Amino acid sequence: MFIDIACAQLKKHKQNAFGDYFLSQRIPEENRLLAVLSDGLGSGIKASILAKMTATMLLRSIAKNIEIKKAAEIMLNSLPVCKVRGISYATFSVIDCDEDGNVSVVEEGNPDFLLLRGGRVQPIEHHEIVSKTQPDRKLRTYHFKTELGDRLIFCSDGVTQAGLGNNPAYPRGFGKDGLLAKLQDALTADQTMASGDLAKFIAQSAAQVEPHSQPKDDISACVVYFRNPREALIFTGPPYDQEKDTYYAILFAEFSGKKIICGGTTANIISRELDRPVVTEPGEQSGSLPPSASMPGVDLITEGILTLTRALEYLEKGQLEEKDAAGQLVALILQTDVLHFLLGAKINQAHYDPALPIEIEIRRNIVKKIAAILGSKYFKKVNIQCI
Amino acid sequence: MRPIEVEICLGTTCFVMGASALQNLQLPESLRAKVKISYVRCLHLCKNMDKFRKAPYARIDGEVIDEAAPEKIIQNITQKIKDIAHATN
C-alpha cells in the first residue's frame, strides 16, 4: 500500500504565524512514514515555536526508534506548563505507520483521530497512560492495522471547535459530527480523493463555520490515506550501452503507469525502437523552454536538461501552476506517488561546450536533486535506475 | 510544386544557442505556401563536435544549415525556390 499523507492549515484570523505545526518524514528503507501534528497553546509566534519544538523533538525521537510511548512520555515530562493557564504548552498526535498497514498513534490533548473505512468511522481500542509526574496528563495509545482504502483523519481543536458559540447551526462547534458529515459529502462525491484535496476541504469547511469565515483558532487537518500507489516512469538520457536501447524502450513501453520522456535524443531512440512518430508543436505555452511533444502511448515528452532544471526550480519555489513544458512535467509528477527514473548515463559533450550561454548541469545531478526534494517536500517515493 | 521542407532542431544545445527564437518562425507572406516547417526534438548533429560546433541547426530539404537564424533560413529557402524554378525552366 502507498501512504498518501497531507496536511492543510489555516491561521487564526489576524495572526501572522501558524500556532499548529505539522511535520512528516518517510523512511524509505523501512517503508515507514512518521508524522506529528502539534498544537501550541495560544496562537501566534509563541504557539508556533512551541508546536514546532514539540513536533521536531517527537519526530526525531521516533525516527531514532525510541518507542512511540516512551518518546511521548519524555515529551510530556519535559514540556513546560504555562504559568498563567496551568496547562502544558503543546498538544500532539504522533503517527508511526508502514506500508503493510501497521499503525501506532499516540495522542495527547488533540481531538481523537478518526479511522474511516468504507465511508464509516471505525472504532478503535486505545490504552491510556497517565504521566507519572503530571497525573492530569494522559496519553492515548492505539495500535491497529489498516486496510486498503482506509483513511486516518487528524485535526487540531481549531477544526472541532470552529463556530463554537457563534454559529446557531453548530451550537457546540463544528465538532466530530460536523466534520463527519462534511467528510461523507466529500468522499461520496469522490471516493479516491487525494489526501491533499481532502485536507484542504476539511480546513476550509471548518473555517466556513466561523463568522465571516475568519478562524478563531489555528486550523489544521491531516489526512493519511492507504491506497494503491499511482506510478510514473521518466525516461531521461540515452542508455550508456547503445545495444540496450531496444531493451529499455520495451521496458518503457510495457510500464503500466504514466510514461514521460525528458530528452530529445531519448525521445528519438524510443520513437525509433517502437516505431512510433514524435510530433512537436510549438505553441504559446512553450515560452523560454523547448515545447512539449507527443507520441502515441506516452503521456508527456519534453526536452531534457533545461526542462528538468526548470522543473526542479518550480518544485523548490512551489510554483506548481506553470503551463510550460516543465510545468506540465511537475503537474504529472505531483499526480503520482511513486516515481521511477530510467536515467541514461550517456553524455552529450556539446552540452558542456563553454560557448553555451547558460550553466547546464549534469543530468545525474539534476535528477538526484529532484528526487531529494520530491521525497522531503512532496512526500513522494522516488527510485532511480541508472542505465 | 512540392513544398520546401524545413526542419528546426529544438534539442538542448540548439535551443540555448538560439533556436528558442525560431520556435514561432514567421516567413514572409510570399514564401508561406511553398514551405513546410516542422520542429524536431533533436537532429543529432551537435554530438559530433568535430564537425558541428555551430548550433543552432536547421535542415532545409536535407541540407544542414548551421548558425540558423530567421534571415539565413529565409535566404536559403528563397535560393532553393529560385534553383527549382530555374531547373524546371
Side-chain angles (χ1 to χ4, degrees):
Chain A
M1 285 190 287
F2 177 79
I3 310 168
D4 176 12
I5 183 166
C7 180
Q9 298 186 307
L10 292 170
K11 288 191 281 261
K12 177 178 175 178
H13 182 57
K14 286 192 171 166
Q15 283 291 0
N16 51 15
F18 291 95
D20 294 348
Y21 196 65
F22 171 77
L23 203 57
S24 161
Q25 185 188 346
R26 278 189 201 279
I27 306 177
E29 52 279 14
E30 296 172 37
N31 293 325
R32 186 167 159 223
L33 182 135
L34 312 173
V36 182
L37 176 63
S38 176
D39 176 356
L41 187 71
S43 56
I45 293 293
K46 183 180 97 171
S48 170
I49 293 170
L50 292 161
K52 249 178 217 180
M53 267 174 54
T54 306
T56 314
M57 287 164 75
L58 275 172
L59 194 83
R60 284 198 187 149
S61 312
I62 48 173
K64 291 208 167 121
N65 285 323
I66 297 175
E67 199 198 345
I68 190 165
K69 256 191 295 189
K70 203 169 173 188
E73 178 81 8
I74 294 168
M75 276 309 304
L76 208 56
N77 286 331
S78 53
L79 271 182
V81 170
C82 176
K83 271 185 194 161
V84 183
R85 299 174 177 92
I87 47 177
S88 78
Y89 274 120
T91 66
F92 54 81
S93 305
V94 180
I95 311 147
D96 183 349
C97 51
D98 66 29
E99 289 171 7
D100 295 328
N102 298 306
V103 182
S104 296
V105 173
V106 176
E107 287 178 332
E108 206 284 314
N110 277 346
D112 297 349
F113 76 96
L114 304 173
L115 166 62
L116 291 181
R117 181 169 295 165
R120 287 163 186 273
V121 176
Q122 197 78 10
I124 319 154
E125 262 184 55
H126 68 266
H127 293 279
E128 211 159 64
I129 302 168
V130 180
S131 165
K132 281 178 202 143
T133 45
Q134 298 169 47
D136 55 329
R137 306 296 305 275
K138 290 177 186 104
L139 286 177
R140 278 179 163 215
T141 65
Y142 305 75
H143 294 281
F144 56 99
K145 197 146 174 129
T146 54
E147 294 173 4
L148 192 67
D150 284 358
R151 284 187 177 85
L152 309 179
I153 316 285
F154 293 84
C155 54
S156 62
D157 59 1
V159 172
T160 46
Q161 293 180 3
L164 192 66
N166 293 299
N167 189 330
Y170 296 98
R172 273 174 275 164
F174 192 44
K176 194 173 159 185
D177 296 339
L179 173 62
L180 260 175
K182 286 283 178 189
L183 280 170
Q184 265 151 4
D185 285 352
L187 294 175
T188 311
D190 180 3
Q191 280 189 351
T192 57
M193 190 183 246
S195 291
D197 296 332
L198 189 59
K200 232 182 263 171
F201 173 80
I202 297 171
Q204 278 162 2
S205 301
Q208 276 161 13
V209 171
E210 301 273 22
H212 311 294
S213 294
Q214 294 169 345
K216 287 213 157 19
D217 190 1
D218 297 295
I219 288 177
S220 298
C222 167
V223 177
V224 186
Y225 181 21
F226 293 82
R227 59 169 165 74
N228 280 323
R230 290 172 300 196
E231 300 192 44
L233 173 64
I234 297 183
F235 197 147
T236 180
Y240 187 74
D241 184 355
Q242 203 177 343
E243 283 173 16
K244 291 192 178 149
D245 283 359
T246 317
Y247 170 73
Y248 288 116
I250 291 171
L251 204 69
F252 180 76
E254 287 180 352
F255 184 74
S256 58
K258 291 242 188 292
K259 292 182 232 178
I260 303 164
I261 302 171
C262 296
T265 309
T266 318
N268 288 343
I269 288 173
I270 293 174
S271 166
R272 182 193 70 210
E273 295 297 329
L274 303 180
D275 195 20
R276 296 181 194 170
V278 194
V279 183
T280 305
E281 295 280 352
E284 283 168 29
Q285 39 84 7
S286 51
S288 58
L289 280 181
S292 54
S294 58
M295 185 194 292
V298 180
D299 296 279
L300 180 69
I301 301 178
T302 72
E303 175 276 346
I305 303 289
L306 302 175
T307 310
L308 287 168
T309 308
R310 185 75 62 84
L312 173 63
E313 196 183 311
Y314 289 163
L315 290 168
E316 280 171 344
K317 292 183 180 162
Q319 288 171 256
L320 310 178
E321 310 285 333
E322 301 292 335
K323 296 279 172 266
D324 59 12
Q328 295 170 42
L329 176 62
V330 166
L332 264 182
I333 290 175
L334 293 182
Q335 284 167 20
T336 63
D337 308 312
V338 183
L339 186 63
H340 305 274
F341 275 98
L342 275 178
L343 178 56
K346 201 177 246 177
I347 278 175
N348 184 346
Q349 280 290 328
H351 291 176
Y352 306 99
D353 182 343
L356 258 56
I358 61 155
E359 187 193 0
I360 292 187
E361 274 219 64
I362 293 173
R363 187 187 309 271
R364 205 180 273 222
N365 295 351
I366 288 287
V367 170
K368 237 162 58 183
K369 284 182 193 167
I370 290 178
I373 194 162
L374 283 176
S376 65
K377 193 170 164 189
Y378 297 92
F379 314 126
K380 306 286 179 194
K381 274 182 82 173
V382 184
N383 302 316
I384 301 174
Q385 187 188 351
C386 288
I387 57 173
Chain B
M1 194 185 101
R2 65 158 188 86
I4 306 274
E5 291 206 21
V6 179
E7 296 164 282
I8 292 167
C9 179
L10 292 180
T12 308
T13 314
C14 290
F15 194 83
V16 297
M17 294 301 278
S20 55
L22 299 174
Q23 281 186 97
N24 289 305
L25 181 63
Q26 298 297 326
L27 295 176
E29 191 64 48
S30 58
L31 293 181
R32 271 177 222 172
K34 299 170 186 165
V35 176
K36 183 176 165 255
I37 297 179
S38 59
Y39 293 88
V40 294
R41 300 311 307 172
C42 188
L43 286 173
H44 299 293
L45 296 170
C46 64
K47 65 180 179 186
N48 188 348
M49 287 184 69
D50 300 334
K51 266 172 83 180
F52 299 106
R53 291 196 69 164
K54 289 180 174 173
Y57 287 100
R59 203 157 52 192
I60 305 183
D61 269 359
E63 182 193 348
V64 172
I65 310 292
D66 58 15
E67 294 176 332
E71 311 75 52
K72 201 168 176 181
I73 291 173
I74 292 166
Q75 216 174 27
N76 189 291
I77 294 170
T78 316
Q79 188 59 45
K80 284 217 161 52
I81 292 173
K82 268 188 204 164
D83 290 350
I84 293 168
H86 190 71
T88 48
N89 280 336

